[in-house]
Amino acid sequence: MARGEEFIALSDAALRAVIGPNSRHLALIENAFSVLIESPGGGVTITGSTRERADAKRALLSLAERADAGVDLSEADVRVSLSLTSTSKSGAGGQALISGRRGPIAPKTAAQAAYLDMLERCDLTFGVGPAGTGKTFLAAAYGATLLLKGQVDRLVITRPAVEAGERLGFLPGDLNEKVDPYLAPIWEALDQIIGADAVRRRRDKGEIEVAPLAFMRGRTLAHAFVIVDEAQNTSRLQMKMVLTRLGEGARMVVTGDPSQVDLLNPRDSGLSHAIRLLSGVEGVGVSEFTADDVVRHPLVARIVRAYDADAEARRPRPDLEGA
């Protein structure tokens, strides 16, 4: 197939971003589409077949657009752009997330993009997978976006305090002070997204609400976005209770890691049970993450894979039972 070349003009910021540290980003794009990319100044020149150039150009322009919008592109951003381009997928749906304190918030993996799309389309979404995949952070960002745009009245956050059991009343302080240690990841995420002062003001007005599972029973949550975090530590009865709190105009995302159950009887976990019962029900979506979607330190992904491999090796093999 005949090869040609095409020059794409880019801003200085976009050019630096798509080149990446030590030209790493360009190397990833070249390998993905079998093209040669050079940066003579003012932009890049792509050499390859017509189709290869077109695919590489789409990926480059997508990255350049995000760089011009202020996104600090990482290698993960480049990889997801390549994945979405090569599979002809769109981004994370029509709901644009707000810009956080560190710049615009955007999905970093294909699974995160699919997760955000599901949050937009479904009234109840389950986000399951290992720690570090962005399940909770993106849910908080999405909920904050709906709140700031006036599409919901409240952002309600609930999380089981397994260590405290039913003894929250014996802990010092008011309700927020009792449960805040268990909700620290959520507050850290919201502080990054809209800032600590804004979080404090909205909490004072009741627009951002702490609602531990022990205090959810009997309530109806209308016109709210509800985040149920660490849901693998809910019992089956607790899961049923919290899912049935949804009222008019409410939406819910349930996040957790089924492999990290802290209950005395792990088989009582309501997360896997609920997914098994509700998968395929209209209005319900299930988004699954793997170690490949970990966006923390690269070592975290390797740790998750090592533990997954160990769990798989320890799993009983049906063909050996009774041997």
Side-chain angles (χ1 to χ4, degrees), residues 64-88:
E65 181 179 0
R66 294 175 63 187
D68 285 333
V71 175
D72 185 13
L73 294 179
S74 66
E75 186 172 319
D77 294 311
V78 176
R79 291 186 184 279
V80 70
S81 180
L82 300 182
S83 174
L84 295 176
T85 300
S86 61
T87 55
S88 300

Side-chain angles (χ1 to χ4, degrees), residues 157-240:
I157 304 151
T158 183
R159 190 182 192 192
V162 171
E163 296 87 347
E166 295 299 322
R167 295 174 294 174
L168 283 172
F170 292 94
L171 296 176
D174 61 18
L175 176 60
N176 286 340
E177 292 170 332
K178 292 176 190 292
V179 300
D180 269 359
Y182 306 102
L183 294 159
I186 290 283
W187 299 132
E188 291 172 4
L190 288 173
D191 287 349
Q192 290 184 44
I193 294 163
I194 62 176
D197 290 340
V199 170
R200 191 177 304 109
R201 288 195 302 272
R202 290 182 180 274
R203 287 183 71 175
D204 291 342
K205 293 192 295 184
E207 294 178 0
I208 296 178
E209 179 185 351
V210 175
L213 285 176
F215 292 79
M216 290 283 285
R217 191 176 301 277
R219 300 184 57 188
T220 299
L221 301 172
H223 305 291
F225 186 80
V226 185
I227 299 174
V228 184
D229 193 35
E230 296 290 339
Q232 76 276 4
N233 289 328
T234 61
S235 68
R236 295 186 181 191
L237 290 176
Q238 286 175 322
M239 178 62 74
K240 179 182 178 182

Side-chain angles (χ1 to χ4, degrees), residues 12-308:
D12 290 342
L15 182 59
R16 287 193 300 271
V18 299
I19 291 175
N22 300 317
S23 299
R24 175 60 177 164
H25 296 171
L26 283 189
L28 290 172
I29 300 170
E30 287 180 328
N31 291 336
F33 302 110
S34 300
V35 295
L36 172 66
I37 304 178
E38 299 174 296
S39 52
V44 296
T45 298
I46 306 174
T47 302
S49 69
T50 302
R51 181 173 181 177
E52 292 166 346
R53 293 199 313 271
D55 289 341
K57 180 179 180 179
R58 281 200 301 273
L60 279 166
L61 291 178
S62 174
L63 292 169
E65 181 179 0
R66 294 175 63 187
D68 285 333
V71 175
D72 185 13
L73 294 179
S74 66
E75 186 172 319
D77 294 311
V78 176
R79 291 186 184 279
V80 70
S81 180
L82 300 182
S83 174
L84 295 176
T85 300
S86 61
T87 55
S88 300
K89 292 180 180 178
S90 62
Q95 177 69 56
L97 294 179
I98 59 174
S99 179
R101 297 181 64 198
R102 299 180 182 178
I105 298 169
K108 293 181 178 296
T109 71
Q112 287 189 351
Y115 179 52
L116 285 174
D117 182 64
M118 191 168 290
L119 289 176
E120 184 176 349
R121 293 186 290 104
C122 299
D123 290 331
L124 172 60
T125 299
F126 291 92
V128 295
T133 51
K135 308 181 298 293
T136 300
F137 182 82
L138 289 176
Y142 186 82
T145 299
L146 297 183
L147 180 65
L148 296 182
K149 290 186 175 182
Q151 296 178 21
V152 295
D153 295 335
R154 288 179 295 165
L155 175 57
V156 178
I157 304 151
T158 183
R159 190 182 192 192
V162 171
E163 296 87 347
E166 295 299 322
R167 295 174 294 174
L168 283 172
F170 292 94
L171 296 176
D174 61 18
L175 176 60
N176 286 340
E177 292 170 332
K178 292 176 190 292
V179 300
D180 269 359
Y182 306 102
L183 294 159
I186 290 283
W187 299 132
E188 291 172 4
L190 288 173
D191 287 349
Q192 290 184 44
I193 294 163
I194 62 176
D197 290 340
V199 170
R200 191 177 304 109
R201 288 195 302 272
R202 290 182 180 274
R203 287 183 71 175
D204 291 342
K205 293 192 295 184
E207 294 178 0
I208 296 178
E209 179 185 351
V210 175
L213 285 176
F215 292 79
M216 290 283 285
R217 191 176 301 277
R219 300 184 57 188
T220 299
L221 301 172
H223 305 291
F225 186 80
V226 185
I227 299 174
V228 184
D229 193 35
E230 296 290 339
Q232 76 276 4
N233 289 328
T234 61
S235 68
R236 295 186 181 191
L237 290 176
Q238 286 175 322
M239 178 62 74
K240 179 182 178 182
M241 179 272 292
V242 74
L243 293 178
T244 55
R245 298 308 92 199
L246 282 172
E248 181 182 359
R251 300 161 74 176
M252 181 181 289
V253 56
V254 179
T255 67
D257 181 357
S259 71
Q260 297 292 320
V261 179
D262 296 320
L263 300 175
L264 292 177
N265 182 5
R267 288 178 295 181
D268 190 42
S269 174
L271 179 59
S272 298
H273 180 253
I275 292 174
R276 189 163 61 250
L277 289 180
L278 301 177
S279 292
V281 172
E282 183 179 355
V284 177
V286 179
S287 188
E288 298 184 4
F289 297 86
T290 68
D292 293 334
D293 301 305
V294 172
V295 292
R296 292 180 181 171
H297 192 288
L299 180 59
V300 175
R302 297 195 289 272
I303 291 172
V304 171
R305 292 191 188 98
Y307 273 89
D308 286 347

